[in-house]
Amino acid sequence: MHFALLGPLEVSRDGGRVGLGSAKQRLLLAALLRRPSETVPTAALTVALWGDDPPASAAANLRTYVRGLRTALGDGAPWDGVARTPGGYLLRVVPGQRDVDVFEEAAAGGRRALTLGDPARACEELDRALGLWRGAFLEGLPLSDALDRWAGRLEERRWNAEEDYAEALIAEDRCPEAVLRMRGLVERRPLRQGAWLHLMLGLFRGGDVAGALEAHRRAREVLVRETGLEPGPELDSLHRDILRQRPVPARAAPAPVAPRPRQLPLVTAGFVGRDAALAALDSSLGSGSGGPGTAAITALVLHWAHGVADRFPDGQLHVNLRGYDEEGPLPAADALRGFIEALGVPQARIPSGTEARTGLFRSLLASRRVLVVLDNARDSAHARPLLPGAGESVVVVTSRERMHGLVTTEGARPLTLDVLTEQESTGLLVRRLGGRIAAEPAAAAEIVAATGRLPLALAVVAARVADHPSFSLQVFAAELRPAGALLHALEDGDARRILSWSALALTDGAARLFRLLGLHPGPDLTLDAAAALAGAPEPAVRPLLRELTRLHLLTEHSPGRYLFHDLLRAYAADLVRTSEPPAERGDALERLYDHFLHRAHAAAVLVQPQWPAVTPVPRLPANSGEHVRDADTALAWFAAEHQVLLRTVAQAERHGFEAYSWQLAWALTAYLAPHGLWQDQRVVQETALAAAERAGDPAGQAMACRLLARAESRLGDLGAAESRLRRSLDLYARLGDANGQAQTLHNYVELCYMDGRLAEALRHGDDALRLYRLSGNRDGEARTLNAIGWLHAAGGDYERAIESCSQALERQRHAGDRNGQAATLDSLGFAYHHLARHDRAVTSYEEAVALFRASADRYHEAETLVRLGETLLATGDARRAEDVWRRAAVIFDALGDPEADSVRERLALVREP
């Protein structure tokens, strides 16, 4: 496919012309070709087609013209080269497909050849460039202001190329050709003094002195009549030379000596730390050849650049590309124009196309050693046209984008900056606030922690502290403690606007996801949770997460898990509150809670298959229903999502999703209880109880009371636990739920045992056994038989204990209840130990330990290891006893359980001589 714009708009495919249809479709194509391979906003296309007065049906008409253009370019079938993108349309164009690009490249090549003293090559290039013109640019189309400005720039470049061609022809002694071309140019553009100059020079060098003098007379006449001004000094100087018959060179004037630009902005005051990053930048220079690019951050790069400026004797170039500016990024073509002018090329000689300017820029740097700083690039494509070619120049690129394209294609060295270290953060505050930091080190440390060690946040907070020299630092530390306080504190420093720069660079889909992620409770998130919030399939959300990660709005801190910085989380939460309608926020939260509840419920059933499961809220249609498939992956999922689920239970209760809150708390118990995480369990079940009470759900209240009681009893608050159990029993009785009553009585057995009330515990055990049998719950029946056996053992009736536990073990092995078997084997080990049947006790305990470990029940694994050690010590095997007690202490320490201290006391005793 070839697009010809240097004349009437034409498209050809395989040498054949393509019919483009109506004038509106051709205007649409022209507007898309003005910004090839870029999204052209719908508003810009509307203006191109209808100006400032579009019809009411403009949007529908535009879609019709797009379909017609696709069909025309696709030879009757829709062509995918015209793509719908967020906010507009994009025409995919590769280099060389537009005649404009070929013209720009050839014209720039001709100009370079002239500069290098090769007029023959200049003639070839310029003849090729000017031969592409078939008439006026986009001839025959009613151009919008934007297209008309583009046409004007290209027409100007055309006349510059004509003058360059005349200069090259005269240098090659082809004066008649130059005269012919310049006569045509002055007829069309009579005010172009360059054309009159080359006409005079061609006539004079060709021997027609009178013609040259007549040309000057006519030029003066036209200029005075049309502008009131005399000819410029170059025309007058040539006129005098002709009158005096002086030799005149082919070129009117020698090229000026190239300047040495010094464009680096002032270095940021108060720069601290970053020694490793500065060393990495130094190493990128190596022996002086340098890599083509390094991604970094502005303050660091400018600090470094000033330090190495003397190593670039031909100058330093700098441009702020405004990649994330609210008004849009600075086009690479405009940045190139500034660079080329700084390197001494007159504006009139600068080509208009990006590719042509890139070629000229690289030619100018080919024999120089210049440091180029491209600050705040939007992405790799934005920076790529500004990279030097071969030579000794070095370019440093800063961006919020990860610039993978430059790393992969151009071999750039990436340098990603993390937050400051604590020492660097404190150093920044010391530099800004002096002795106040040493006077209040604790408050200073709290400020550092609250700002997340972000340089921007530290700088803004330091400025606020400096404005109040009489205030204690503790005042500002306290100000930053509440959730969201940091974002509000930074408003004076315009941090919110700075954060918005990255958000403005996002596609519509990624921007919406960023806002919705502000609803996630944290601390980190996964693809499936993000998809639930967005209400979209995971394959559609994955590239959006990559986009957020590229722009450093998220960090993939471990494979598949994404993390917000606290400041960005607060910003996203603020955006979702102010930008998304309440109904949309509510729907997103419901999708998230539904996702977590059904994943957790399925995982809990796999981990504790013998537990009577609650019936969860019906799954939403958008929920994929994909769950973990076995107990091991279920445990791994719980371990990974543990902190997220704790926060989700609380958040769901706060937002009025009570059923999701208490049911998710039930599912989470399958992980918390076996791991002995009783503090977490108490907090979660307190939240679940509040949610169930608010919802008026007696089943949820009964469940939460029972599970909360178990946590409280394990934490030593037996009075509160007993009160909860009584309430739970009452609620289950009112519901007629025999199974729930049996479960609660089973928990009551445990509480009475812990309180030394063995007879009462046995009564509750018998009642639980009866209710389990009544409800047909054989798993519950087996576990209660074990509990009764343990009580018999605790009362000294070991034979009866073995009988009851053996019945339980048989049922549990038949049912495949691994955790139940482990608990029963532990009870049997205890009974055998006290009957001095130590071999049977060790065997039972070891089997119990293996089963507890297999079901990830670490708390009970440690308890059994303690009892196993006692049996081993009784047999005289102190070495093995010490080994298993050390293992128990490690587990209790990992769980944060104070039982670790009593285990260490056992270890100390066994080590005594």
Side-chain angles (χ1 to χ4, degrees), residues 611-614 666 669 678 681 685 689 699-713 721 723-729 731-732 737 739-748 750-751 772:
W611 285 10
V614 301
W666 170 85
T669 300
W678 302 114
Q681 175 73 335
Q685 296 307 327
L689 180 57
Q701 294 173 49
M703 178 75 70
C705 280
R706 181 175 66 81
L707 297 176
L708 177 55
R710 187 162 189 235
E712 288 172 333
S713 66
S723 177
R724 306 283 190 195
L725 289 174
R726 287 173 179 165
R727 184 180 173 195
S728 181
L729 281 171
L731 286 165
Y732 279 129
D737 186 345
N739 199 63
Q741 292 178 73
Q743 287 180 284
T744 308
L745 287 166
H746 187 109
N747 293 138
Y748 222 145
E750 183 179 37
L751 182 144
Y772 273 134

Side-chain angles (χ1 to χ4, degrees), residues 484 487 496 514-520 564 566-580 585:
L487 187 62
R496 191 182 298 269
F514 177 71
R515 294 192 298 271
L516 292 176
L517 292 181
L519 299 171
H520 192 282
F564 265 129
D566 287 346
L567 181 57
L568 286 166
R569 180 185 297 282
Y571 179 57
D574 187 62
L575 281 181
V576 77
R577 279 194 302 271
T578 56
S579 303
E580 298 293 332
R585 296 200 303 270

Side-chain angles (χ1 to χ4, degrees), residues 586-619:
D587 289 346
L589 284 171
E590 185 175 17
R591 291 192 298 268
L592 181 68
Y593 302 151
D594 193 73
H595 160 77
F596 279 130
L597 172 60
H598 288 280
R599 289 287 175 95
H601 187 277
V605 170
L606 285 168
V607 172
Q608 299 291 352
Q610 279 69 40
W611 285 10
V614 301
T615 302
V617 174
R619 192 172 64 230

Side-chain angles (χ1 to χ4, degrees), residues 35-46:
R35 294 168 62 176
S37 299
E38 294 181 21
T39 293
V40 183
T42 301
L45 296 174
T46 301

Side-chain angles (χ1 to χ4, degrees), residues 20 53 230 248 306 406 413 424 474 510 558 662 717 736 790:
L20 296 176
D53 189 24
E230 291 287 339
V248 180
H306 278 281
L406 295 188
R413 289 177 165 186
E424 290 171 338
Q474 191 59 47
S558 64
W662 77 258
D717 193 350
W790 175 265

Side-chain angles (χ1 to χ4, degrees), residues 681-704:
Q681 175 73 335
R682 177 164 64 182
V683 171
V684 162
Q685 296 307 327
E686 285 174 342
T687 304
L689 180 57
E693 287 174 340
R694 182 183 300 152
D697 187 333
Q701 294 173 49
M703 178 75 70

